[in-house]
Amino acid sequence: MSNMPAGSGARGSALIIGAGPSGLYLAFQLGLLDIPCSIVDSLPAIGGQCYELYADKPIFDIPGFESIKAIDLAERLWIQAQIAKPSLQLNRTIIQIKADTSGGFLVTSRSTQALSADADDAETQYFQAVFIAAGVGAFATKRLRLEGTQSLEGRYLFYSVLPTIPTFKAKQVLISGGGKRALSIAVQLLQCPQALAPDRIDLLARNGLRPALDQQHEALLDSVQQAAKAGRIRIHKGVITGFELPDQAIKLDAVRISLRDEPRNAERSLQSNLVIVCHGLSPRLEPMLHWDLGMTRGQIPVDTARFESRVPGVFVIGDMASYPGKKKLITCGFHEATLAAYAACDYFFPGKKILLQYTTSSPRLLEKLSRGARPTE
Ligand SMILES: Cc1cc2nc3c(=O)[nH]c(=O)nc-3n(C[C@H](O)[C@H](O)[C@H](O)COP(=O)(O)OP(=O)(O)OC[C@H]3O[C@@H](n4cnc5c(N)ncnc54)[C@H](O)[C@@H]3O)c2cc1C
């Protein structure tokens, strides 16, 4: 799948915020209507909740499929969306939408990673209309909320990635987390050549290592457990409770931890000068709360004929849309996407009567569909 570089949004094109099932199906519908579109998602892959929360689970209520694995549904929707040739920007989070005097919108995004590190790589693009298909919010790395955290981030404290540094020698690395990502980072460190390897690796997980979910996970678990037996990594059940910051927070020497099997409130010091936190992702609504769209309890009110918000030209579909009788189901998102795409024609083809055309019999659509290419891997 291609991950298109961020470019300037073309005049006359639409932005879809969210590459979940609703956003992907919307791209297909926009393609049928000849409306060019870009899709932006804060996650590193398409699929929204289907990718992030239950990728390997079968779904039984998608019309036409007795059952389909969530991740396969996302992949099929992406293939179907190719009729629109959408540009796709992953790992980017939309942080602001502003109405432009020319009738469209100036939309600002930042890379999801920069958002976690408080770095600034904001980019603003123009779009004629905006479709919010943002589900339960922008998935972002769960960060530690402890005193001193901010001054350590990007230098001694990292989230879900192994920092690119020339050597781990003289480093005492603490990995916090018991899931697949934490294991994968542990294995990368264990595989460092002797000359570059950290002096010590600790892995701290509240409830210990989680059971494997797939074969790859199983292999990682096995490697880490073998390394633990050989004394190359120490595994603890517990949580980080603070940082020891001598030298006015310029340098990290040790981390305060609380171990599960020790009395409550008993803390101990663990020598660490590099901490990698892998606590997974959680959805964040913050950016959208400030877009003046009347969001309440994580949803934005829309009308059920057009799925347009109270701001003309901003449409909301999928789990984030709210209207009487709304059900947070994938099929409902498909219906909402279809009607929103038709409604948006008012902005792309003002004054033009848009006729309903069937994909089975419209020569224009059949020609278009026959050209719909598989996405590049
Ligand atoms: C465990 C579980 C099982 C489920 N099973 C079923 C089922 O069997 N059948 C069914 O119909 N439904 C099921 N659902 C519900 C279904 O997954 C949701 O209804 C569906 O995913 C909603 O799709 P969406 O496209 O609206 O949003 P999402 O799938 O949530 O996708 C939204 C995307 O928008 C991105 N995003 C949000 N904000 C921003 C931003 N500011 N910038 C960039 N990107 C952003 C997010 O990262 C996300 O990827 C299940 C849900 C869960 C949690």
Side-chain angles (χ1 to χ4, degrees), residues 17-23 40-43 47-49 53-54 59 61 92-94 133-139 287-288 291 317-319 328-331:
I17 305 175
S22 310
V40 175
D41 201 297
S42 52
L43 285 173
Q49 293 172 56
L53 301 180
Y54 57 105
I59 310 177
D61 54 352
R92 272 198 99 73
T93 300
I94 304 294
V136 287
F139 284 102
M288 278 151 279
W291 294 350
I317 61 165
D319 279 11
K328 289 188 178 180
L329 285 170
I330 294 167
T331 47

Side-chain angles (χ1 to χ4, degrees), residues 101-125:
T101 44
S102 64
F105 298 91
L106 290 170
V107 180
T108 306
S109 68
R110 283 172 66 187
S111 76
T112 305
Q113 238 175 342
L115 223 51
S116 303
D118 283 335
D120 197 2
D121 65 347
E123 183 178 311
T124 299
Q125 297 174 274

Side-chain angles (χ1 to χ4, degrees), residues 26 28 50 82 95 105 147 160 165 176 244 248 259 272 281 300 329 340 351 354 376:
L26 172 66
F28 169 69
C50 294
Q82 293 314 299
I95 53 165
F105 298 91
E147 204 185 327
S160 299
I165 53 177
S176 176
E244 290 177 15
Q248 292 160 356
L259 294 180
S272 312
L281 302 175
I300 299 170
L329 285 170
I354 305 297
T376 45

